[in-house]
Amino acid sequence: MRIGILGAGQMARALGGGWAAAGHEIVVGARTSAAAAAAAAEIGPSARPGTIAEAASFGDATLLAVPVPALDEILTAHREAFADRILIDCTNAFAPDTGGFGLSEPAVAERISASAPGARVVKAFNLLAAEVWAGPNREFEGRPLTVALCGDDAAAVAAVAGLAEDLKLRPVPAGGLSRARYLEATAAFVVGLWFAGHDARAMFPPLESAFAVPDDSEGLPMSRE
Ligand SMILES: NC(=O)c1ccc[n+]([C@@H]2O[C@H](COP(=O)([O-])OP(=O)(O)OC[C@H]3O[C@@H](n4cnc5c(N)ncnc54)[C@H](OP(=O)(O)O)[C@@H]3O)[C@@H](O)[C@H]2O)c1
């Protein structure tokens, strides 16, 4: 796949590096050519540097790897380029590094979708740190590392699921874009726990111990509300 990445920071490098290693062609767009060149060099030989505009109009899918406050400017400037494009939203509306664990807005992915008509928005990869996405561990305590995906466009969700598999992750389609706000709130909640030194994982028993799971191996359909 051809993937444009907006932003040249930690998430751009973590996800872009994995996708480049899996054979995808990448244009990484940044505000300065030096930042784009440094990120592309780190991502790998199948990545090349570009401007934000070049990355926004490159290929089949675009990763938004910028801070939430940057989205307005980017969505306004590149709205037309995003029409019909898969937009992968990994953003979080909180800033843990500066001690902020409250969301500055409740539903970023839905706002992106409303601001970019025709874009096929998929929320994904916001829950874990860039170091985890870039790291070697894909199983913890026998459980495969899983990435939840929320989006309304089934083909776009399937494409991003494929990109998750390319990172050796287990994708789980987790409902429509209206559920992305819960994924965003979960990130703020869980990251707050981790930063406070608590083991958030210990709050979640394995599926078989969570409650009475239906015998039907298909389970119940995922809610879209
Ligand atoms: N880091 C993580 O572990 C992690 C995990 C999950 C989700 N996220 C989310 O992923 C997103 C990116 O995080 P990150 O850690 O990769 O951030 P980062 O390392 O700080 O990189 C952010 C990138 O966005 C660029 N940028 C900032 N404002 C911009 C604007 N107005 N127009 C264009 N580009 C702009 C920055 O460019 P300059 O250098 O020019 O400022 C930089 O290249 C954030 O929304 C964050 O909440 C991060």
Side-chain angles (χ1 to χ4, degrees):
M1 190 184 281
R2 287 150 53 96
I3 303 167
I5 298 182
L6 306 193
Q10 294 181 66
M11 288 295 276
R13 292 167 192 233
L15 298 176
W19 290 331
H24 298 293
E25 193 184 339
I26 288 168
V27 169
V28 54
R31 291 192 285 195
T32 67
S33 55
E42 192 175 314
I43 287 171
S46 67
R48 63 179 168 83
T51 61
I52 294 279
E54 284 166 345
S57 57
F58 177 75
D60 319 290
T62 307
L63 172 70
L64 298 170
V66 296
V68 164
L71 288 173
D72 273 342
E73 181 186 334
I74 285 173
L75 290 165
T76 301
H78 306 292
R79 177 177 287 132
E80 284 164 23
F82 293 148
D84 208 33
R85 197 175 299 278
I86 297 169
L87 270 192
I88 306 169
D89 169 27
C90 72
T91 68
N92 278 319
F94 63 96
D97 291 340
T98 52
F101 298 101
L103 295 172
S104 61
E105 60 179 272
V108 180
E110 289 172 72
R111 172 164 73 91
I112 291 170
S113 179
S115 304
R120 303 150 71 202
V121 180
V122 179
K123 187 90 198 184
F125 307 113
N126 67 308
L127 202 49
L128 301 183
E131 293 88 338
V132 179
W133 300 131
N137 295 331
R138 289 298 183 254
E139 189 178 291
F140 294 94
E141 298 163 6
R143 293 193 246 174
L145 187 58
T146 298
V147 55
L149 315 171
C150 292
D152 290 335
D153 184 303
V157 170
V160 180
L163 291 175
E165 287 172 343
D166 289 339
L167 300 176
K168 310 277 189 287
L169 299 162
R170 178 171 172 262
V172 168
L177 202 64
S178 63
R179 292 193 70 79
R181 60 175 61 203
Y182 305 130
L183 196 47
E184 295 169 11
T186 299
F189 189 72
V190 169
V191 172
L193 289 168
W194 282 329
F195 268 68
H198 300 298
D199 183 6
R201 187 176 174 88
M203 297 174 193
F204 299 97
L207 173 62
E208 59 274 18
S209 302
F211 45 69
V213 178
D215 285 341
D216 176 359
S217 61
E218 297 280 313
L220 297 171
M222 181 68 69
S223 167
R224 299 194 66 79
E225 300 303 324

CSV table of all heavy atoms in Angstrom, one decimal, residues 41-94:
chain,number,residue,atom,x,y,z
A,41,ALA,N,14.4,8.8,6.9
A,41,ALA,CA,15.7,8.0,7.0
A,41,ALA,C,15.5,7.0,8.1
A,41,ALA,O,16.0,5.9,7.9
A,41,ALA,CB,16.9,9.0,7.3
A,42,GLU,N,14.9,7.4,9.2
A,42,GLU,CA,14.7,6.4,10.3
A,42,GLU,C,13.6,5.3,9.9
A,42,GLU,O,13.8,4.2,10.2
A,42,GLU,CB,14.2,7.1,11.5
A,42,GLU,CG,14.3,6.3,12.8
A,42,GLU,CD,14.0,7.0,14.0
A,42,GLU,OE1,14.5,8.2,14.2
A,42,GLU,OE2,13.2,6.5,14.8
A,43,ILE,N,12.6,5.7,9.1
A,43,ILE,CA,11.6,4.8,8.8
A,43,ILE,C,12.1,3.7,7.9
A,43,ILE,O,11.7,2.5,8.0
A,43,ILE,CB,10.3,5.5,8.2
A,43,ILE,CG1,9.6,6.3,9.3
A,43,ILE,CG2,9.4,4.6,7.4
A,43,ILE,CD1,8.6,7.3,8.8
A,44,GLY,N,12.9,4.1,6.9
A,44,GLY,CA,13.5,3.1,6.1
A,44,GLY,C,13.5,3.4,4.6
A,44,GLY,O,13.0,4.5,4.2
A,45,PRO,N,14.2,2.5,3.8
A,45,PRO,CA,14.4,2.9,2.4
A,45,PRO,C,13.1,3.1,1.6
A,45,PRO,O,13.2,3.7,0.5
A,45,PRO,CB,15.2,1.7,1.9
A,45,PRO,CG,15.5,0.8,3.0
A,45,PRO,CD,14.8,1.3,4.2
A,46,SER,N,12.0,2.5,2.0
A,46,SER,CA,10.8,2.7,1.2
A,46,SER,C,10.0,3.9,1.6
A,46,SER,O,8.9,4.1,1.2
A,46,SER,CB,9.9,1.4,1.3
A,46,SER,OG,9.4,1.3,2.6
A,47,ALA,N,10.7,4.7,2.4
A,47,ALA,CA,10.0,6.0,2.8
A,47,ALA,C,10.8,7.2,2.2
A,47,ALA,O,12.0,7.1,2.1
A,47,ALA,CB,10.0,6.2,4.3
A,48,ARG,N,10.1,8.2,1.8
A,48,ARG,CA,10.7,9.4,1.3
A,48,ARG,C,10.1,10.6,2.0
A,48,ARG,O,8.9,10.6,2.3
A,48,ARG,CB,10.7,9.5,-0.2
A,48,ARG,CG,9.4,9.6,-0.8
A,48,ARG,CD,9.5,9.7,-2.4
A,48,ARG,NE,8.2,9.5,-3.1
A,48,ARG,CZ,7.4,10.5,-3.2
A,48,ARG,NH1,7.6,11.7,-2.7
A,48,ARG,NH2,6.2,10.3,-3.9
A,49,PRO,N,10.9,11.7,2.1
A,49,PRO,CA,10.4,12.9,2.8
A,49,PRO,C,9.5,13.7,1.8
A,49,PRO,O,9.7,13.6,0.6
A,49,PRO,CB,11.6,13.6,3.2
A,49,PRO,CG,12.7,13.2,2.2
A,49,PRO,CD,12.3,11.8,1.8
A,50,GLY,N,8.6,14.4,2.4
A,50,GLY,CA,7.8,15.3,1.6
A,50,GLY,C,7.3,16.5,2.4
A,50,GLY,O,7.6,16.6,3.6
A,51,THR,N,6.4,17.3,1.8
A,51,THR,CA,5.8,18.3,2.6
A,51,THR,C,4.5,17.7,3.2
A,51,THR,O,4.1,16.6,2.8
A,51,THR,CB,5.4,19.5,1.6
A,51,THR,OG1,4.4,19.0,0.6
A,51,THR,CG2,6.6,20.1,0.9
A,52,ILE,N,3.8,18.5,4.0
A,52,ILE,CA,2.6,18.0,4.6
A,52,ILE,C,1.6,17.8,3.4
A,52,ILE,O,0.9,16.8,3.4
A,52,ILE,CB,2.0,19.1,5.5
A,52,ILE,CG1,2.9,19.2,6.8
A,52,ILE,CG2,0.6,18.8,5.9
A,52,ILE,CD1,2.7,18.1,7.8
A,53,ALA,N,1.6,18.7,2.4
A,53,ALA,CA,0.6,18.6,1.3
A,53,ALA,C,0.9,17.4,0.5
A,53,ALA,O,0.0,16.7,0.0
A,53,ALA,CB,0.7,19.9,0.4
A,54,GLU,N,2.2,17.1,0.3
A,54,GLU,CA,2.5,15.9,-0.5
A,54,GLU,C,2.1,14.6,0.2
A,54,GLU,O,1.5,13.7,-0.4
A,54,GLU,CB,4.0,15.8,-0.8
A,54,GLU,CG,4.5,16.8,-1.9
A,54,GLU,CD,6.0,17.1,-1.9
A,54,GLU,OE1,6.7,16.7,-1.0
A,54,GLU,OE2,6.4,17.6,-2.9
A,55,ALA,N,2.3,14.6,1.5
A,55,ALA,CA,1.9,13.4,2.2
A,55,ALA,C,0.4,13.2,2.3
A,55,ALA,O,-0.2,12.1,2.2
A,55,ALA,CB,2.5,13.4,3.7
A,56,ALA,N,-0.3,14.4,2.4
A,56,ALA,CA,-1.8,14.4,2.5
A,56,ALA,C,-2.4,13.9,1.2
A,56,ALA,O,-3.6,13.4,1.2
A,56,ALA,CB,-2.3,15.8,2.8
A,57,SER,N,-1.7,14.0,0.1
A,57,SER,CA,-2.3,13.5,-1.2
A,57,SER,C,-1.7,12.3,-1.7
A,57,SER,O,-1.9,12.0,-2.9
A,57,SER,CB,-2.3,14.7,-2.2
A,57,SER,OG,-1.0,15.1,-2.4
A,58,PHE,N,-0.9,11.6,-0.9
A,58,PHE,CA,-0.2,10.5,-1.4
A,58,PHE,C,-0.9,9.2,-1.1
A,58,PHE,O,-1.2,8.9,0.1
A,58,PHE,CB,1.2,10.4,-0.8
A,58,PHE,CG,2.1,9.2,-1.2
A,58,PHE,CD1,2.6,9.1,-2.4
A,58,PHE,CD2,2.2,8.2,-0.3
A,58,PHE,CE1,3.4,8.0,-2.8
A,58,PHE,CE2,3.0,7.0,-0.6
A,58,PHE,CZ,3.6,7.0,-1.9
A,59,GLY,N,-1.1,8.4,-2.1
A,59,GLY,CA,-1.5,7.0,-1.8
A,59,GLY,C,-2.9,6.7,-1.4
A,59,GLY,O,-3.8,7.5,-1.6
A,60,ASP,N,-3.0,5.6,-0.7
A,60,ASP,CA,-4.4,5.1,-0.4
A,60,ASP,C,-4.8,5.4,1.0
A,60,ASP,O,-6.0,5.5,1.3
A,60,ASP,CB,-4.3,3.5,-0.5
A,60,ASP,CG,-3.5,3.1,-1.7
A,60,ASP,OD1,-4.0,3.3,-2.8
A,60,ASP,OD2,-2.4,2.5,-1.6
A,61,ALA,N,-3.9,5.6,1.9
A,61,ALA,CA,-4.2,5.8,3.3
A,61,ALA,C,-3.3,6.9,3.9
A,61,ALA,O,-2.1,7.0,3.4
A,61,ALA,CB,-4.0,4.5,4.1
A,62,THR,N,-3.8,7.6,4.8
A,62,THR,CA,-3.0,8.7,5.4
A,62,THR,C,-3.1,8.5,7.0
A,62,THR,O,-4.2,8.4,7.5
A,62,THR,CB,-3.6,10.1,5.1
A,62,THR,OG1,-3.7,10.2,3.7
A,62,THR,CG2,-2.8,11.2,5.6
A,63,LEU,N,-1.9,8.5,7.6
A,63,LEU,CA,-1.9,8.5,9.0
A,63,LEU,C,-1.8,9.9,9.6
A,63,LEU,O,-0.8,10.7,9.2
A,63,LEU,CB,-0.7,7.7,9.5
A,63,LEU,CG,-0.4,7.7,11.0
A,63,LEU,CD1,-1.5,6.9,11.8
A,63,LEU,CD2,1.0,7.1,11.3
A,64,LEU,N,-2.7,10.3,10.4
A,64,LEU,CA,-2.6,11.6,11.1
A,64,LEU,C,-1.8,11.4,12.4
A,64,LEU,O,-2.3,10.9,13.4
A,64,LEU,CB,-4.0,12.1,11.4
A,64,LEU,CG,-4.9,12.4,10.2
A,64,LEU,CD1,-6.4,12.6,10.7
A,64,LEU,CD2,-4.4,13.5,9.4
A,65,ALA,N,-0.5,11.8,12.3
A,65,ALA,CA,0.4,11.6,13.5
A,65,ALA,C,0.8,12.9,14.0
A,65,ALA,O,2.0,13.2,14.1
A,65,ALA,CB,1.5,10.7,13.1
A,66,VAL,N,-0.1,13.7,14.3
A,66,VAL,CA,0.2,15.1,14.8
A,66,VAL,C,-0.6,15.3,16.1
A,66,VAL,O,-1.6,14.6,16.4
A,66,VAL,CB,-0.2,16.2,13.8
A,66,VAL,CG1,0.6,16.0,12.5
A,66,VAL,CG2,-1.7,16.1,13.5
A,67,PRO,N,-0.3,16.3,16.9
A,67,PRO,CA,-1.0,16.7,18.1
A,67,PRO,C,-2.5,17.1,17.7
A,67,PRO,O,-2.6,17.7,16.6
A,67,PRO,CB,-0.3,17.8,18.7
A,67,PRO,CG,1.1,17.8,18.1
A,67,PRO,CD,0.9,17.2,16.7
A,68,VAL,N,-3.4,16.9,18.5
A,68,VAL,CA,-4.8,17.3,18.2
A,68,VAL,C,-4.9,18.7,17.9
A,68,VAL,O,-5.7,19.1,17.0
A,68,VAL,CB,-5.7,16.8,19.4
A,68,VAL,CG1,-7.1,17.5,19.3
A,68,VAL,CG2,-5.9,15.3,19.4
A,69,PRO,N,-4.2,19.7,18.6
A,69,PRO,CA,-4.4,21.1,18.2
A,69,PRO,C,-4.0,21.4,16.8
A,69,PRO,O,-4.3,22.5,16.3
A,69,PRO,CB,-3.5,21.8,19.2
A,69,PRO,CG,-3.4,20.9,20.4
A,69,PRO,CD,-3.4,19.5,19.8
A,70,ALA,N,-3.2,20.5,16.2
A,70,ALA,CA,-2.8,20.8,14.8
A,70,ALA,C,-3.8,20.3,13.8
A,70,ALA,O,-3.7,20.7,12.6
A,70,ALA,CB,-1.5,20.0,14.5
A,71,LEU,N,-4.8,19.6,14.2
A,71,LEU,CA,-5.8,19.0,13.2
A,71,LEU,C,-6.6,20.1,12.5
A,71,LEU,O,-6.8,19.9,11.3
A,71,LEU,CB,-6.7,18.0,14.0
A,71,LEU,CG,-6.1,16.7,14.4
A,71,LEU,CD1,-7.0,15.9,15.3
A,71,LEU,CD2,-5.6,15.9,13.2
A,72,ASP,N,-7.0,21.1,13.2
A,72,ASP,CA,-7.8,22.1,12.5
A,72,ASP,C,-7.2,22.6,11.2
A,72,ASP,O,-7.7,22.7,10.1
A,72,ASP,CB,-8.2,23.3,13.4
A,72,ASP,CG,-9.4,23.0,14.3
A,72,ASP,OD1,-10.2,22.1,13.9
A,72,ASP,OD2,-9.5,23.7,15.3
A,73,GLU,N,-5.9,23.1,11.4
A,73,GLU,CA,-5.1,23.6,10.3
A,73,GLU,C,-5.0,22.6,9.2
A,73,GLU,O,-5.2,22.9,8.0
A,73,GLU,CB,-3.8,24.0,10.9
A,73,GLU,CG,-2.8,24.7,9.9
A,73,GLU,CD,-1.4,24.9,10.6
A,73,GLU,OE1,-1.4,25.1,11.8
A,73,GLU,OE2,-0.5,25.0,9.8
A,74,ILE,N,-4.7,21.4,9.6
A,74,ILE,CA,-4.4,20.3,8.5
A,74,ILE,C,-5.7,20.0,7.8
A,74,ILE,O,-5.7,19.8,6.6
A,74,ILE,CB,-3.8,19.1,9.2
A,74,ILE,CG1,-2.3,19.4,9.5
A,74,ILE,CG2,-3.9,17.9,8.4
A,74,ILE,CD1,-1.6,18.4,10.4
A,75,LEU,N,-6.8,19.8,8.6
A,75,LEU,CA,-8.1,19.4,7.9
A,75,LEU,C,-8.6,20.6,7.0
A,75,LEU,O,-9.2,20.3,6.0
A,75,LEU,CB,-9.1,19.1,9.0
A,75,LEU,CG,-8.7,17.8,9.8
A,75,LEU,CD1,-9.6,17.6,11.0
A,75,LEU,CD2,-9.0,16.6,8.9
A,76,THR,N,-8.4,21.8,7.4
A,76,THR,CA,-8.8,22.9,6.6
A,76,THR,C,-8.0,23.0,5.3
A,76,THR,O,-8.6,23.1,4.2
A,76,THR,CB,-8.7,24.2,7.4
A,76,THR,OG1,-9.5,24.1,8.6
A,76,THR,CG2,-9.2,25.4,6.6
A,77,ALA,N,-6.7,22.8,5.4
A,77,ALA,CA,-5.9,23.0,4.3
A,77,ALA,C,-6.0,21.8,3.3
A,77,ALA,O,-5.8,22.0,2.1
A,77,ALA,CB,-4.4,23.1,4.7
A,78,HIS,N,-6.2,20.6,3.8
A,78,HIS,CA,-6.1,19.4,3.0
A,78,HIS,C,-7.4,18.6,2.8
A,78,HIS,O,-7.4,17.4,2.5
A,78,HIS,CB,-5.0,18.5,3.5
A,78,HIS,CG,-3.7,19.2,3.6
A,78,HIS,ND1,-3.0,19.7,2.5
A,78,HIS,CD2,-3.0,19.7,4.7
A,78,HIS,CE1,-2.0,20.4,2.9
A,78,HIS,NE2,-1.9,20.4,4.3
A,79,ARG,N,-8.5,19.3,3.2
A,79,ARG,CA,-9.9,18.6,3.1
A,79,ARG,C,-10.1,17.9,1.8
A,79,ARG,O,-10.5,16.7,1.8
A,79,ARG,CB,-10.9,19.7,3.4
A,79,ARG,CG,-12.3,19.2,3.3
A,79,ARG,CD,-13.3,20.3,3.7
A,79,ARG,NE,-13.2,20.7,5.1
A,79,ARG,CZ,-13.1,21.9,5.6
A,79,ARG,NH1,-13.1,22.9,4.8
A,79,ARG,NH2,-13.1,22.1,6.9
A,80,GLU,N,-9.8,18.6,0.7
A,80,GLU,CA,-10.1,18.0,-0.6
A,80,GLU,C,-9.2,16.8,-0.8
A,80,GLU,O,-9.7,15.8,-1.4
A,80,GLU,CB,-10.0,19.0,-1.7
A,80,GLU,CG,-11.2,19.9,-1.7
A,80,GLU,CD,-10.9,21.2,-2.5
A,80,GLU,OE1,-10.0,21.2,-3.4
A,80,GLU,OE2,-11.6,22.2,-2.2
A,81,ALA,N,-8.0,16.8,-0.4
A,81,ALA,CA,-7.1,15.7,-0.6
A,81,ALA,C,-7.6,14.5,0.1
A,81,ALA,O,-7.3,13.3,-0.3
A,81,ALA,CB,-5.7,16.1,-0.2
A,82,PHE,N,-8.3,14.7,1.2
A,82,PHE,CA,-8.7,13.6,2.1
A,82,PHE,C,-9.9,12.9,1.6
A,82,PHE,O,-10.3,11.8,2.1
A,82,PHE,CB,-8.9,14.0,3.5
A,82,PHE,CG,-7.6,14.5,4.2
A,82,PHE,CD1,-7.6,15.5,5.2
A,82,PHE,CD2,-6.4,13.8,4.0
A,82,PHE,CE1,-6.5,15.8,5.9
A,82,PHE,CE2,-5.2,14.2,4.6
A,82,PHE,CZ,-5.3,15.2,5.6
A,83,ALA,N,-10.7,13.5,0.7
A,83,ALA,CA,-11.9,12.9,0.2
A,83,ALA,C,-11.7,11.6,-0.4
A,83,ALA,O,-10.8,11.4,-1.2
A,83,ALA,CB,-12.6,13.8,-0.8
A,84,ASP,N,-12.4,10.6,0.1
A,84,ASP,CA,-12.3,9.2,-0.4
A,84,ASP,C,-11.0,8.5,0.1
A,84,ASP,O,-10.8,7.3,-0.2
A,84,ASP,CB,-12.4,9.1,-1.9
A,84,ASP,CG,-13.0,7.8,-2.3
A,84,ASP,OD1,-13.8,7.2,-1.6
A,84,ASP,OD2,-12.6,7.2,-3.4
A,85,ARG,N,-10.2,9.1,0.9
A,85,ARG,CA,-9.0,8.5,1.4
A,85,ARG,C,-9.2,7.9,2.7
A,85,ARG,O,-10.0,8.3,3.5
A,85,ARG,CB,-7.9,9.6,1.5
A,85,ARG,CG,-6.5,9.1,1.6
A,85,ARG,CD,-5.6,10.3,1.6
A,85,ARG,NE,-5.7,11.1,0.3
A,85,ARG,CZ,-5.1,10.8,-0.8
A,85,ARG,NH1,-4.3,9.7,-0.9
A,85,ARG,NH2,-5.2,11.5,-1.9
A,86,ILE,N,-8.5,6.8,3.0
A,86,ILE,CA,-8.5,6.2,4.4
A,86,ILE,C,-7.7,7.1,5.3
A,86,ILE,O,-6.5,7.3,5.0
A,86,ILE,CB,-7.9,4.8,4.4
A,86,ILE,CG1,-8.8,3.9,3.5
A,86,ILE,CG2,-7.8,4.2,5.8
A,86,ILE,CD1,-8.1,2.5,3.2
A,87,LEU,N,-8.3,7.6,6.3
A,87,LEU,CA,-7.6,8.5,7.3
A,87,LEU,C,-7.5,7.7,8.6
A,87,LEU,O,-8.5,7.4,9.2
A,87,LEU,CB,-8.4,9.8,7.5
A,87,LEU,CG,-8.2,11.0,6.7
A,87,LEU,CD1,-8.9,12.2,7.4
A,87,LEU,CD2,-6.8,11.3,6.5
A,88,ILE,N,-6.3,7.4,8.9
A,88,ILE,CA,-6.0,6.7,10.2
A,88,ILE,C,-5.7,7.7,11.3
A,88,ILE,O,-4.8,8.5,11.2
A,88,ILE,CB,-4.8,5.7,10.0
A,88,ILE,CG1,-5.0,4.8,8.8
A,88,ILE,CG2,-4.7,4.9,11.3
A,88,ILE,CD1,-3.8,4.0,8.4
A,89,ASP,N,-6.6,7.7,12.3
A,89,ASP,CA,-6.5,8.6,13.4
A,89,ASP,C,-6.0,8.0,14.6
A,89,ASP,O,-6.7,7.2,15.3
A,89,ASP,CB,-7.9,9.3,13.7
A,89,ASP,CG,-7.9,10.1,14.9
A,89,ASP,OD1,-6.8,10.6,15.3
A,89,ASP,OD2,-9.0,10.2,15.6
A,90,CYS,N,-4.7,8.3,14.9
A,90,CYS,CA,-4.1,7.7,16.1
A,90,CYS,C,-4.0,8.7,17.2
A,90,CYS,O,-3.3,8.5,18.2
A,90,CYS,CB,-2.7,7.1,15.8
A,90,CYS,SG,-1.4,8.4,15.5
A,91,THR,N,-4.6,9.8,17.1
A,91,THR,CA,-4.4,11.0,18.0
A,91,THR,C,-5.1,10.8,19.4
A,91,THR,O,-6.0,10.0,19.5
A,91,THR,CB,-4.9,12.3,17.4
A,91,THR,OG1,-6.3,12.3,17.3
A,91,THR,CG2,-4.3,12.5,16.0
A,92,ASN,N,-4.5,11.5,20.3
A,92,ASN,CA,-5.2,11.5,21.7
A,92,ASN,C,-5.3,13.0,22.1
A,92,ASN,O,-4.3,13.7,22.0
A,92,ASN,CB,-4.3,10.7,22.7
A,92,ASN,CG,-4.6,9.3,22.6
A,92,ASN,OD1,-5.7,8.8,22.5
A,92,ASN,ND2,-3.6,8.5,22.7
A,93,ALA,N,-6.4,13.3,22.6
A,93,ALA,CA,-6.7,14.7,23.0
A,93,ALA,C,-6.3,14.9,24.5
A,93,ALA,O,-7.0,15.5,25.3
A,93,ALA,CB,-8.1,15.1,22.8
A,94,PHE,N,-5.1,14.3,24.9
A,94,PHE,CA,-4.6,14.6,26.2
A,94,PHE,C,-3.1,14.6,26.1
A,94,PHE,O,-2.5,14.1,25.1
A,94,PHE,CB,-5.1,13.6,27.3
A,94,PHE,CG,-4.7,12.2,27.0
A,94,PHE,CD1,-3.6,11.6,27.6
A,94,PHE,CD2,-5.4,11.4,26.2
A,94,PHE,CE1,-3.2,10.3,27.4
A,94,PHE,CE2,-5.1,10.0,25.9
A,94,PHE,CZ,-4.0,9.5,26.6
